[in-house]
Amino acid sequence: MSSHQKSSQAALALAALGVVYGDIGTSPLYAFKEAFAHGMEANQTNVLASISAFFWAILLIAALKYVWFILKFDNQGEGGVLALMARAKESAEHQHRGLTVVMALGIFAAGLFYADSFITPAISVLSAVEGLSIVSKSFEHYVVPITVAIIIGLFAIQRYGTQKIGGLLFGPVMIVWFATLGGLGIMSIAQNPEILQAINPYYAVHFAITHPGLAFILLSAVFLALTGGEALFADMGHFGAKPIRMAWYGVVWPGLVLNYFGQGALVLRHPAAVENPFYFLAPEWGLVFLVVLATFATVIASQATIAGAYSMTLQAARLNLLPRVSVMHTSDTEQGQIYMPFVNGLMLIGVLLLVVGFGSSSALAAAYGLAVSGTMLITTGMVLYLLHTTKSKARGAMLIVFALFAVLEIGFVASNISKLAHGGWLPLSLGILFFIILHTWQRGQAYLAKERTDNSLPMKTFLKMPMDSVAQVEGTAVYLTSDLSVVPSALMHNLKHYKVLHATNVFLVVKSLNVPYVQPSERVRVQMVADKMYTVEMAFGFREQPLVVPVLQGIQHDGLSFDEMSTTYFTSNSKLVDGVGRFNRWQFGVFNTMYKQAASANDYFGLPPNRTVQLGAQVAL
C-alpha cells in the first residue's frame, strides 16, 4: 500500500471515530454502574464477575461479531439492517421461501432502530451532564434544564449541516475522549492490579452458575456496553470496513476495556463509588474538564444517531417502506450530508419528552437495551438466513459461529425484556408503532398499484388502437408511471380532455433496486414499442438520488431526444377515498395521512417545474 493510501485510510479511521463510535464510546458513562443499580452488592466477587462479563461481551459481540464478521456481509459496500434486508430479500425471492418473514423482520428492525434513535441522544447527554452533580450537589436541579438546552441546540443546527465542524472537530475530540478513557483506567488499575484477573472468563461463568438470577439481570447492564454495535455496520458505506477496523482495534477497544477495568478497580477500593464510578475515576481537579469532554462526546454520539435516522429514512423511502420524503442537501460536495425537517422536528420532540419524562440516565437505561438487542438479534438472524441460502467453503463454520452469537443475544433480549415494566415497554412500543406505520404504507402501496392496474387500459391494447384521428403537437411527452403494462392515467386524461398526442411519447418507470448503487451501464433501458413511442426503464440504488432528467438527456437512441425546451413531463396525483374496504378505518387514515405528506414526484425526481404537468385522479381503497 502506498503512503498516500495509508494516509487516506488513517484519515477515514479518524473520521470514523467521530461518527461510528460515538454511541459505544460513551457507554462507560452509564453501563457499569447499572450492573449494581438493582441491588447487587459491590463486593470483590461481584465486581470481578461483572468486569469479566463486560470484557468477554465486548470481545465476542463487538470485536468479533461486528468488527470482524458482520462487516463482511455488506450490500455492495453498504451496511445497516435495511441494506442487509434488501440482500436477504433478494435471496428469498430467488429461493421462493422466507420472503414474508425476511420483510417482516427487516421492517421491525427498522422500527427498533428508530426507537433507539430517540433514546440515544437522551441517555447520552443526560449521563454526561449528570457529572455536574458530582462536582457539586447544588447542580442536581440543573441537570435536566441544561440537557434540554443542549439537545435543542443540537437539533437546531442540523439545518446548517455538520460537515465542516464534523470533519474538523468530531474525530480529534473522540481521540482525546478515548485517550482520557484509557488514561483514567490505567491510573486506577495501577492501584488495584488484581482487577486484571477478570480477563479470565471463569469469574463470569462461575457467577452465572452460582447466581443465575443476578447474572440474568447483569446481562441487561452488560449489554449497555454494546449499544453502538449496529452503528459499525450501518456506517460502513461512509468509511469502508478497513478504516472502521483500524479505529476499533487501534483506539476504541483499548480505551473502552481499560476504562471498564479501571471502574472495576475503583469499586474494589471504594464500594460506595458504584454510585457513579466513571466520574469518580477522575481526580477532583480534573472533574470539570471530564464533564465538559463527556458532554462534547455525547453530543457527537447524538449527532451520529441523528444522521443515522436521516439515512435510514431515506433508504426506507427508496425501498418503498415510507413515502417519498423532502430532503435538503447541506453540502455541495457530499451527497450523504442531508437534512430532513420533518424527521428532525419529530426526533427533537421525542427526545425532549424522554429527557423530561425519565429525568435521569439510570431511569432511561432500563428502556435503552431492548431496542438495540432486538435489532442485533434480527441482524444475526438475517445473516444466518443468508448463510443458509448460499454456498461457500466456510458456510458450516460460519453457521455455527452465528448460531452461538444468536444464543448469547437471545439472553440479552430476554434480560432486557425483564425490565419491561421499568421502561423496556418504551422501545418495544415505539418499535411496534413504527412497524405498523411501515407495514401499512407497504400494504397501501400494493393496494394502490393493484387498483390503478385494474382501472387502467392495458398498454398492448392502447398500442393497437388507431391514432390517425388524434391531433398531434410538436415535442416530447414523458409520462412517469409505476407500471409499463398499463397506460398512464395522465396520458388517458390528455386524450380524453385535450384530444391531443405529442409527436414523441415516452413511458418512464423508475425502479429502486435492492442494491445501494447501480452501475452507469445498467442505469437505463430503452425500447421502441410503436412509431414514436418508447418505454424507458430507469434504475437507481436505494442510496442514490433518483434524478431522472440528466439520465434522460444522456440517452442515445435513434429518433429519441430530450431537448430541454420541447420536453414536457406528465405526472399523476391520486386522491384517495375510502370505499373498497381494503383497509379498515384507522388503517386508511394512517395510509392517507402518509400519502398526503409524501414529497411530490416533481421534487423527488428532480423534474423542472416549468416543464411539468400534474393531472389528478380519484382512487378508492
Side-chain angles (χ1 to χ4, degrees), residues 468-490:
D468 298 338
S469 60
V470 179
Q472 284 195 1
V473 295
E474 292 297 321
T476 300
V478 178
Y479 294 94
L480 270 75
T481 179
S482 59
D483 187 355
L484 290 175
S485 67
V486 297
V487 179
S489 59

Side-chain angles (χ1 to χ4, degrees), residues 301-525:
S302 301
Q303 173 60 51
T305 302
I306 295 168
Y310 292 162
S311 179
M312 175 72 77
T313 302
L314 196 58
Q315 288 188 36
R318 290 173 180 168
L319 288 171
N320 208 28
L321 298 175
L322 283 175
R324 294 188 297 260
V325 289
S326 297
V327 178
M328 295 172 57
H329 290 265
T330 58
S331 170
D332 294 331
T333 57
E334 296 294 330
Q335 185 175 326
Q337 293 287 327
I338 58 176
Y339 168 66
M340 296 180 177
F342 178 77
V343 176
N344 194 71
L346 186 64
M347 288 188 68
L348 172 60
I349 294 171
V351 172
L352 290 179
L353 287 175
L354 291 179
V355 170
V356 175
F358 283 81
S360 71
S361 61
S362 292
L364 266 172
Y368 195 29
L370 191 55
V372 191
S373 59
T375 307
M376 280 188 174
L377 183 57
I378 291 172
T379 296
T380 300
M382 286 191 175
V383 171
L384 282 169
Y385 178 82
L386 283 172
L387 288 170
H388 177 67
T389 55
T390 56
K391 295 181 179 180
S392 66
K393 293 181 180 179
R395 176 172 171 263
M398 292 288 281
L399 279 169
I400 294 172
V401 169
F402 274 91
L404 293 174
F405 289 146
V407 170
L408 184 56
E409 287 166 357
I410 288 171
F412 284 133
V413 171
S415 180
N416 281 295
I417 287 177
S418 70
K419 301 187 296 184
L420 208 59
H422 303 285
W425 58 269
L426 176 67
L428 188 61
S429 300
L430 287 174
I432 292 172
L433 174 62
F434 284 119
F435 173 83
I436 291 172
I437 291 172
L438 270 62
H439 182 60
T440 300
W441 177 258
Q442 187 186 41
R443 282 183 60 203
Q445 284 291 90
Y447 290 152
L448 190 58
K450 187 177 187 306
E451 195 66 26
R452 285 171 174 165
T453 301
D454 292 345
N455 292 280
S456 299
L457 180 67
M459 182 65 75
K460 290 182 178 180
T461 303
F462 170 76
L463 294 176
K464 293 177 182 178
M465 293 171 59
M467 296 293 170
D468 298 338
S469 60
V470 179
Q472 284 195 1
V473 295
E474 292 297 321
T476 300
V478 178
Y479 294 94
L480 270 75
T481 179
S482 59
D483 187 355
L484 290 175
S485 67
V486 297
V487 179
S489 59
L491 174 56
M492 298 307 296
H493 284 298
N494 236 355
L495 291 171
K496 180 179 179 181
H497 298 291
Y498 306 119
K499 302 187 183 343
V500 296
L501 200 62
H502 281 73
T504 303
N505 296 274
V506 175
F507 308 113
L508 170 63
V509 63
V510 181
K511 298 180 179 179
S512 181
L513 303 185
N514 293 327
V515 295
Y517 301 99
V518 173
Q519 296 296 325
S521 60
E522 301 173 357
R523 175 80 65 200
V524 64
R525 187 169 64 179

Side-chain angles (χ1 to χ4, degrees), residues 20-346:
V20 176
Y21 293 112
D23 191 355
I24 196 170
T26 52
S27 60
L29 282 162
Y30 48 81
F32 182 64
K33 75 174 182 178
E34 288 304 313
F36 298 88
H38 304 284
M40 189 166 72
E41 185 181 350
N43 57 38
Q44 184 175 20
T45 299
N46 294 345
V47 170
L48 287 174
S50 299
I51 293 298
S52 183
F54 272 83
F55 173 77
W56 283 98
I58 293 172
L59 172 63
L60 293 174
I61 300 299
L64 290 183
K65 177 193 167 182
Y66 277 97
V67 178
W68 190 252
F69 287 118
I70 284 287
L71 293 186
K72 301 176 186 292
F73 290 87
D74 63 292
N75 190 338
Q76 294 190 19
E78 288 296 322
V81 67
L82 283 185
L84 188 59
M85 183 201 75
R87 185 174 166 183
K89 179 186 174 186
E90 184 178 350
S91 179
E93 289 173 342
H94 179 70
Q95 296 288 330
H96 303 293
R97 64 176 186 268
L99 180 58
T100 302
V101 174
V102 166
M103 290 300 296
L105 287 175
I107 292 172
F108 186 57
L112 291 176
F113 177 88
Y114 280 116
D116 177 47
S117 299
F118 281 85
I119 300 172
T120 294
I123 190 173
S124 298
V125 179
L126 260 176
S127 61
V129 179
E130 282 170 351
L132 290 173
S133 62
I134 306 297
V135 176
S136 173
K137 290 293 183 182
S138 61
F139 286 123
E140 282 186 356
H141 300 295
Y142 298 101
V143 169
V144 171
I146 290 173
T147 300
V148 167
I150 290 172
I151 288 173
I152 290 175
L154 174 63
F155 280 92
I157 65 171
Q158 296 303 310
R159 66 176 65 245
Y160 304 108
T162 57
Q163 180 190 14
K164 292 181 180 178
I165 188 171
L168 295 174
L169 186 63
F170 286 2
V173 167
M174 293 307 289
I175 281 280
V176 175
W177 170 252
F178 285 113
T180 302
L181 290 184
L184 291 173
I186 289 171
M187 288 190 296
S188 181
I189 293 169
Q191 298 178 61
N192 286 84
E194 62 267 29
I195 192 64
L196 295 176
Q197 298 175 72
I199 293 175
N200 189 338
Y202 166 81
Y203 292 95
V205 174
H206 183 262
F207 183 80
I209 294 171
T210 56
H211 302 85
L214 287 176
F216 184 71
I217 296 173
L218 175 63
L219 276 178
S220 62
V222 171
F223 186 78
L224 293 175
L226 309 172
T227 52
E230 279 295 313
L232 303 175
F233 188 36
D235 288 309
M236 72 173 298
H238 296 289
F239 304 101
K242 188 170 184 178
I244 289 176
R245 289 186 178 120
M246 287 173 61
W248 171 261
Y249 292 116
V251 178
V252 180
W253 193 19
L256 289 176
V257 169
L258 288 170
N259 193 264
Y260 281 121
F261 274 82
Q263 290 187 45
L266 172 65
V267 175
L268 286 181
R269 295 193 303 275
H270 306 292
V274 77
E275 177 189 352
N276 200 321
F278 175 79
Y279 279 115
F280 282 124
L281 272 180
E284 189 174 342
W285 56 265
L287 194 54
V288 173
F289 165 78
L290 189 58
V291 171
V292 173
L293 179 61
T295 302
F296 271 107
T298 54
V299 166
I300 292 170
S302 301
Q303 173 60 51
T305 302
I306 295 168
Y310 292 162
S311 179
M312 175 72 77
T313 302
L314 196 58
Q315 288 188 36
R318 290 173 180 168
L319 288 171
N320 208 28
L321 298 175
L322 283 175
R324 294 188 297 260
V325 289
S326 297
V327 178
M328 295 172 57
H329 290 265
T330 58
S331 170
D332 294 331
T333 57
E334 296 294 330
Q335 185 175 326
Q337 293 287 327
I338 58 176
Y339 168 66
M340 296 180 177
F342 178 77
V343 176
N344 194 71
L346 186 64

Side-chain angles (χ1 to χ4, degrees), residues 505-558:
N505 296 274
V506 175
F507 308 113
L508 170 63
V509 63
V510 181
K511 298 180 179 179
S512 181
L513 303 185
N514 293 327
V515 295
Y517 301 99
V518 173
Q519 296 296 325
S521 60
E522 301 173 357
R523 175 80 65 200
V524 64
R525 187 169 64 179
V526 182
Q527 182 179 359
M528 185 175 181
V529 292
D531 184 35
K532 295 295 185 179
M533 291 192 181
Y534 303 84
T535 60
V536 176
E537 296 180 72
M538 198 176 294
F540 293 91
F542 57 79
R543 291 280 298 179
E544 296 180 292
Q545 190 174 0
L547 300 177
V548 304
V549 177
V551 179
L552 287 174
Q553 291 176 343
I555 290 177
Q556 296 180 355
H557 194 280
D558 291 340

